[in-house]
């Protein structure tokens, strides 16, 4: 039973039907992260807000990004197998990535628990929140395996066109997390530990639910526990796509860690403002990520089916939709910023600092649309190396150079913030040139004919 075949029908309508469940699911995920910040910020104080959303957030993004980048390779390969109706290879890829994620998640828990204090000091976490940050980060690592399994299982379902059931289970996770936040933090006064336990338990429940769902579906993506094994051929194809994505995600996170370290030097008030912005403007980033996830699956299915003209037409139309949405969301964020930030803190100095920061980069969000759509287009067709190199040089390396060369001379929050729009502009320009001028599609077709091996 083919859930949602994106290789036929009206392109924009098909993509929108697929996109909205992804968007609502990611908004649910963003919502429970935001509620974490709201509860600790309003109930405990701005020190707890900084401890939950400052250094620990960028460290978590780094370590989780490594494995979810690898898992994204599976999503691409599965969508291509789905488009080409190769059910046997699809089944092998599903069981390979699920077992790999279980092993990787267990390793991440151990390494993360041991390295937590060291990693927090590396990013210059302020001393007054160091103990709170360490407590939160160590507990968060306990949920690494459920988190990875849930994200991978969701990716499997989306690869075959089912974006609705991941939304349902994310909704359950979100509701449970909010309830446990209120219980552990507001009622039991457990502080940042309560936020961490609420997240871990809700992620565990959602992982169990979606894995049970995978074990009951009728298609080739069905999970059969006794068939869990690492298939070498599937793993090679997954790693071919996944390793560059993991490297790209890691470098994104490393550059953000460097930026976080620069922000930390301005004190706890600025860190709290930066954290509040990271939660408040999350609605844009989850929307952008949803656009990227939709086009990646669309391209993967069309590429696997050999419908290249439909693929290119879909990319052009979807980019226009994404650009328009970026402009609308940027306007709303700037217009509602002052009231939205009140959700996280009532402290006026924090709100004023956050509003200044918003104007430094929100007007430039439209630039990210080119990066999001074109990089996922290339990756969905199997061109994993080029988008990684472009992002490493244009976003990551240039951002680090800016922080190390410009910020020490102009030691202001404005100088730190401008590292984002400047690198977005350069990277977007390179992506447009590469997509329109290079022969990337011919190379992807040749690679696919050779079996996609490393």
């Amino acid at each position: 039973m083919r859930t949602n075949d994106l290789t036929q029908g009206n392109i924009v309508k098909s993509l929108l039907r697929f996109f909205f469940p992804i968007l609502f699911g990611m908004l649910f995920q963003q919502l429970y992260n935001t509620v974490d910040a709201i509860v600790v910020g309003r109930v405990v104080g701005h020190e707890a807000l900084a401890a939950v959303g400052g250094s620990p957030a960028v460290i978590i993004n780094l370590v989780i990004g490594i494995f979810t980048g690898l898992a994204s390779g599976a999503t691409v390969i599965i969508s291509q197998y789905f488009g080409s109706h190769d059910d046997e290879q699809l089944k092998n890829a599903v069981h390979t990535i699920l077992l790999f994620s279980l092993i990787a998640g267990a390793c991440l828990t151990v390494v993360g628990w041991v390295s937590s204090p060291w990693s927090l000091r590396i990013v210059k976490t302020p001393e007054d929140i160091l103990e709170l940050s360490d407590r939160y980060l160590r507990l968060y690592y306990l949920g690494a395996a459920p988190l990875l399994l849930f994200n991978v299982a969701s990716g499997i379902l989306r690869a075959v066109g089912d974006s609705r059931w991941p939304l349902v289970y994310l909704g359950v996770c979100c509701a449970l997390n909010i309830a446990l936040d209120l219980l552990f933090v507001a009622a039991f006064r457990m502080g940042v530990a309560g936020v961490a336990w609420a997240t871990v338990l809700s992620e565990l429940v959602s992982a169990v639910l979606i894995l049970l769902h995978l074990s009951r579906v009728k298609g080739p993506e069905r999970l059969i526990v006794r068939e869990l094994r690492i298939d070498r051929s599937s793993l090679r194809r997954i790693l071919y796509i996944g390793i560059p994505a993991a490297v790209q995600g890691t470098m994104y996170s490393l550059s953000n860690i460097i930026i976080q370290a620069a922000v930390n030097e301005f004190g706890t008030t600025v860190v709290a403002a930066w954290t509040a912005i990271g939660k408040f403007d999350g609605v844009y980033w989850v929307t952008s990520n949803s656009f990227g996830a939709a086009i990646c699956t669309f391209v993967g299915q069309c590429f696997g089916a050999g419908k290249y003209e439909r693929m290119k037409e879909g990319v052009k139309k979807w980019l226009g939709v994404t650009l328009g949405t970026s402009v609308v969301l940027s306007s709303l964020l700037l217009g509602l910023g002052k009231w939205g930030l009140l959700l996280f803190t009532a402290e006026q100095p924090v709100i004023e600092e956050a509003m200044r920061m918003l104007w430094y980069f929100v007007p430039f969000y439209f630039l990210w649309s080119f990066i999001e759509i074109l990089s996922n287009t290339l990756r969905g067709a199997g061109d994993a190396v080029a988008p990684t190199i472009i992002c490493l040089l244009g976003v990551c390396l240039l951002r680090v150079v800016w922080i190390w060369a410009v910020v020490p001379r102009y030691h202001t929050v404005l100088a730190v913030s401008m590292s984002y729009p400047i690198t977005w502009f350069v990277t977007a320009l390179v992506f447009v040139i590469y997509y329109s001028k290079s022969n990337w599609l011919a190379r992807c077709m040749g690679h696919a004919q050779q079996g996609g091996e490393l």
Side-chain angles (χ1 to χ4, degrees), residues 59-105:
I59 294 171
I60 288 168
N61 288 338
L62 169 64
V63 294
I64 297 297
I66 296 173
F67 295 105
T68 54
L70 291 172
S72 71
T75 303
V76 171
I77 297 306
I78 290 170
S79 66
Q80 291 184 358
Y81 287 146
F82 181 85
S84 62
H85 298 261
D86 193 340
D87 291 349
E88 185 63 28
Q89 291 294 345
L90 193 156
K91 182 176 71 173
N92 290 337
V94 165
H95 290 85
T96 295
I97 192 57
L98 286 173
L99 180 56
F100 178 84
S101 298
L102 179 61
I103 296 170

Side-chain angles (χ1 to χ4, degrees), residues 363-374:
F364 306 100
Y365 278 165
F366 74 95
L367 293 170
W368 186 259
S369 300
F370 295 95
I371 302 172
E372 185 75 58
I373 298 304
L374 297 183

Side-chain angles (χ1 to χ4, degrees), residues 370-430:
F370 295 95
I371 302 172
E372 185 75 58
I373 298 304
L374 297 183
S375 64
N376 278 286
T377 295
L378 296 169
R379 192 169 289 113
D383 187 352
V385 177
T388 298
I389 293 175
I390 294 171
C391 287
L392 288 184
L393 297 178
V395 174
C396 304
L397 181 60
L398 182 56
R399 190 174 292 173
V400 171
V401 170
W402 179 273
I403 293 298
W404 285 349
V406 176
V407 173
R409 296 190 61 184
Y410 305 95
H411 197 245
T412 64
V413 176
L414 171 61
V416 176
S417 301
M418 289 305 294
S419 64
Y420 286 99
I422 289 172
T423 55
W424 295 338
F425 173 77
V426 173
T427 308
L429 180 61
V430 175

